[in-house]
């Protein structure tokens, strides 16, 4: 009887340690559910956010590949087709100077996307660094930075934007610089208010006592911990930049001919909306789709990154 005990003991150990297939798959899923996968799962459960992402992807494809489906360039002139309605030759019709509206819509969407993404990215980076640095250093440095921020917030930036853009001849590169200079203050104020609560956390204090440099603490400890706010700010910033660029171009202070943006197309189409409505509705639809898609994506990211939100469902 005792001689059989050594033979039975390994079998008992195997039974105790062996997992069923369901338990093994559950354990594997538990290990693989990283934070990124959790955020992605919550984002994909938001139908509005997914719809916005699909719309944005289609708009980007249209901006990148739309020129392949027309023989015209945005500044080509067809003197035989002046203010012509949509036709097989000119899908979106032509304007009063004979430019193909479809080709202009493709180029205008490209220009508006480049301006919006560049300005939103630059303002997000500047606001993140300035706001986090002001919160970390505190004291006189914090007061000086906040003083500059508050001063720039009350400056009539729209008038300065219009004057500088007009003097630069509507160069879209200058427009990006000016929109960036006057577009980071509000986000910096929000980042500062959030970072003030993070500067007293244990990991920040530990890094400070270990002799880690101030800039390294700001870049490696404060800013990454407000990443969710920065991501949402970036998406919302694209919407506000599109609206700002469109408004400037609509009143003649943004992108100037011979270049084209969605704002300039809206300005030209507004003058002929009763006689040639296709000149207005084509850019209007693109602007609406772009702003709505980014707003939906921003809402989806906010719900996915917010642990208290129930819009993304349970993990």
């Amino acid at each position: 009887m005792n001689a059989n005990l050594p033979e039975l003991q390994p079998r008992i150990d195997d039974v105790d340690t062996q997992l069923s297939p369901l338990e093994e798959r559950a354990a594997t899923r538990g290990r693989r559910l990283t934070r990124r996968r959790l955020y992605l799962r919550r984002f994909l459960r938001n139908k509005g956010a997914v719809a916005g992402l699909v719309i944005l992807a289609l708009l980007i494809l249209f901006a990148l590949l739309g020129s392949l489906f027309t023989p015209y360039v945005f500044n080509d002139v067809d003197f035989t087709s002046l203010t012509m309605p949509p036709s097989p030759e000119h899908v979106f019709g032509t304007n009063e100077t004979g430019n193909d509206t479809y080709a202009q819509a493709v180029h205008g969407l490209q220009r508006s996307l480049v301006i919006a993404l560049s300005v939103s990215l630059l303002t997000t980076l500047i606001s993140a660094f300035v706001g986090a640095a002001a919160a970390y250093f505190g004291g006189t440095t914090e007061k000086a930075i906040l003083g500059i921020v508050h001063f720039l917030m009350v400056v009539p930036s729209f008038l300065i934007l219009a004057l500088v853009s007009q003097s630069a001849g509507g160069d879209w590169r200058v427009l990006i610089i000016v929109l960036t200079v006057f577009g980071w203050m509000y986000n910096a104020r929000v980042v500062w208010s959030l970072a003030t609560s993070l500067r007293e956390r244990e990991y920040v204090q530990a890094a400070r006592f270990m002799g880690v440099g101030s800039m390294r603490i700001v870049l490696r400890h404060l800013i990454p911990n407000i990443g969710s706010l920065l991501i949402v700010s970036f998406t919302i910033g694209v919407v506000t930049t599109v609206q700002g660029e469109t408004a400037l171009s609509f009143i003649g202070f943004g992108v100037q001919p011979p270049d084209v943006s969605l704002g300039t197309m809206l300005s030209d189409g507004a003058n002929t909306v009763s006689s040639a409505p296709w000149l207005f509705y084509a850019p209007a639809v693109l602007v609406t789709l772009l702003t709505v898609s980014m707003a939906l994506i921003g809402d989806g990211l906010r719900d996915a990154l917010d642990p208290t939100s129930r819009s993304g469902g349970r993990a």
Side-chain angles (χ1 to χ4, degrees), residues 10-32:
R11 297 179 182 178
I12 296 175
D13 294 340
D14 292 341
V15 172
D16 293 337
T17 58
Q18 187 177 7
L19 296 176
S20 66
L22 291 177
E23 293 174 339
E24 186 176 356
R25 285 197 297 269
T28 303
R29 285 198 300 268
R31 287 195 301 269
R32 293 180 179 177

Side-chain angles (χ1 to χ4, degrees), residues 13-262:
D13 294 340
D14 292 341
V15 172
D16 293 337
T17 58
Q18 187 177 7
L19 296 176
S20 66
L22 291 177
E23 293 174 339
E24 186 176 356
R25 285 197 297 269
T28 303
R29 285 198 300 268
R31 287 195 301 269
R32 293 180 179 177
L33 188 58
T34 61
R35 182 176 297 181
R36 292 181 180 179
R37 288 180 176 269
L38 175 61
Y39 292 157
L40 180 61
R41 180 179 298 182
R42 288 170 59 87
F43 179 83
L44 294 178
R45 286 176 178 174
N46 191 322
K47 296 181 180 179
V50 174
L53 187 62
V54 171
I55 294 174
L56 179 62
L58 293 176
L59 289 175
I60 293 176
L61 288 176
F62 177 73
L64 295 177
L65 305 177
S67 59
L68 300 177
F69 302 98
T70 178
Y72 299 98
V73 185
F74 73 97
N75 55 1
D76 286 345
V77 177
D78 186 1
F79 292 104
T80 61
S81 301
L82 302 179
T83 317
M84 296 296 294
S87 62
E89 185 178 1
H90 299 282
V91 181
F92 289 174
T94 61
N95 59 13
E96 65 277 3
T97 58
N99 301 120
D100 185 73
T101 307
Y102 175 86
Q104 288 203 330
V106 172
H107 182 80
L109 181 59
Q110 290 178 359
R111 185 65 70 233
S112 296
L113 279 174
V114 169
I115 294 174
L117 294 176
S118 300
V119 172
S120 183
L121 179 61
L122 291 174
T123 53
T124 301
L125 293 177
I126 295 173
S127 62
F129 178 77
V130 173
Y136 176 76
F137 288 106
T140 305
T141 304
E142 182 180 26
K143 292 180 181 179
I145 294 176
L146 291 180
I148 295 173
V149 170
H150 293 159
F151 172 76
L152 292 176
M153 289 174 65
V154 299
V155 169
S157 58
F158 188 83
L159 295 178
I160 299 176
L161 285 169
L163 292 175
V164 173
S165 177
Q166 185 71 11
S167 62
D171 190 348
W172 62 274
R173 290 176 288 267
V174 176
L175 188 61
I176 289 176
I177 295 174
V178 178
L179 287 173
T180 301
V181 170
F182 292 98
W184 58 271
M185 294 84 68
Y186 293 98
N187 289 337
R189 190 69 169 73
V190 175
V191 171
W192 167 80
S193 63
L194 182 61
T196 50
S197 62
L198 297 178
R199 65 185 178 186
E200 304 299 332
R201 295 291 180 88
E202 292 80 3
Y203 55 86
V204 176
Q205 298 295 332
R208 184 182 302 170
F209 290 137
M210 291 174 63
V212 180
S214 299
M215 287 294 100
R216 188 177 180 85
I217 292 176
V218 172
L219 297 176
R220 296 292 299 275
H221 297 283
L222 287 181
I223 294 180
N225 282 280
I226 56 176
S228 59
L229 171 66
L230 298 178
I231 293 174
V232 176
S233 298
F234 171 76
T235 57
I236 302 301
V238 173
V239 177
T240 57
T241 304
V242 169
Q243 294 174 346
E245 184 273 327
T246 302
L248 285 172
S249 300
F250 186 84
I251 62 177
F253 292 111
V255 177
Q256 298 292 328
D259 203 355
V260 177
S261 71
L262 295 180

